[in-house]
Amino acid sequence: MEVADPRHKIVDLGATEVAKNSPKKKKYIPIINNSPAPVTFNLALTPETPALQSTGALTISPTNTITLEPGGTCKVEVAFASNTRIPQFSEEVTMEFAGQYETLFVVKGQCLGMEVSLDTTAIPFPTVVKGSSSSRKLIMSNTGDMTAKYAFQV
């Protein structure tokens, strides 16, 4: 079993942007049975990237047991969309056959988003007398992938 086109050994989904209810980015990867016998197997995707483990952002199908005759092909759908920021990832799609796992191809991608944080959640000020002033520093960090605009409402 292998991908029908060697260029599909690495499937680059590119970068998507965080968007609620956005359609999934999909790619179809044909795999072929080059062995002289039929092969029955299951596809598996077990993300190691923490942001992908519980979100369902990256999926593959079919999810049922597949049997391919010699020379037979099957298209594997890889779908990706997220409503949260996911840093660059690289995950293996494997086939499980007779208790053995073999990598078919690797999926790469990321979901770009804004992520801004402050170094504190509160700014304490001491007592100030009339006509004087007091100041404190606040550090704002843009740890996301995109330019962020902001404004303080005073």
Side-chain angles (χ1 to χ4, degrees):
M1 294 295 303
E2 61 186 4
V3 292
D5 184 341
R7 293 178 293 174
H8 291 140
K9 281 288 210 188
I10 297 177
V11 178
D12 191 352
L13 298 172
T16 62
E17 289 187 19
V18 171
K20 294 204 184 301
N21 302 320
S22 65
K24 288 196 170 210
K25 183 182 264 190
K26 296 180 181 180
K27 289 209 176 177
Y28 297 90
I29 313 305
I31 56 173
I32 187 167
N33 178 6
N34 284 330
S35 73
V39 177
T40 299
F41 63 96
N42 289 305
L43 294 172
L45 172 66
T46 309
E48 292 183 16
T49 305
L52 293 173
Q53 289 175 349
S54 62
T55 63
L58 181 64
T59 59
I60 59 168
S61 66
T63 55
N64 56 325
T65 301
I66 304 163
T67 300
L68 287 182
E69 296 298 322
T73 63
C74 171
K75 283 188 180 177
V76 178
E77 178 187 88
V78 178
F80 176 63
S82 179
N83 58 8
T84 60
R85 180 176 173 262
I86 298 177
Q88 178 73 39
F89 64 86
S90 180
E91 300 291 344
E92 293 181 348
V93 173
T94 58
M95 65 170 255
E96 184 270 323
F97 170 74
Q100 300 292 321
Y101 286 86
E102 184 178 320
T103 300
L104 285 172
F105 57 90
V106 174
V107 180
K108 298 171 106 180
Q110 66 181 327
C111 189
L112 305 176
M114 287 186 259
E115 193 170 311
V116 178
S117 60
L118 301 174
D119 67 335
T120 184
T121 57
I123 306 172
F125 284 94
T127 304
V128 181
V129 295
K130 186 176 181 178
S132 65
S133 66
S134 179
S135 64
R136 297 287 183 263
K137 288 186 178 182
L138 174 69
I139 299 173
M140 178 184 289
S141 301
N142 180 0
T143 55
D145 309 298
M146 308 168 81
T147 302
K149 295 181 182 180
Y150 67 93
F152 288 109
Q153 294 180 350
V154 187

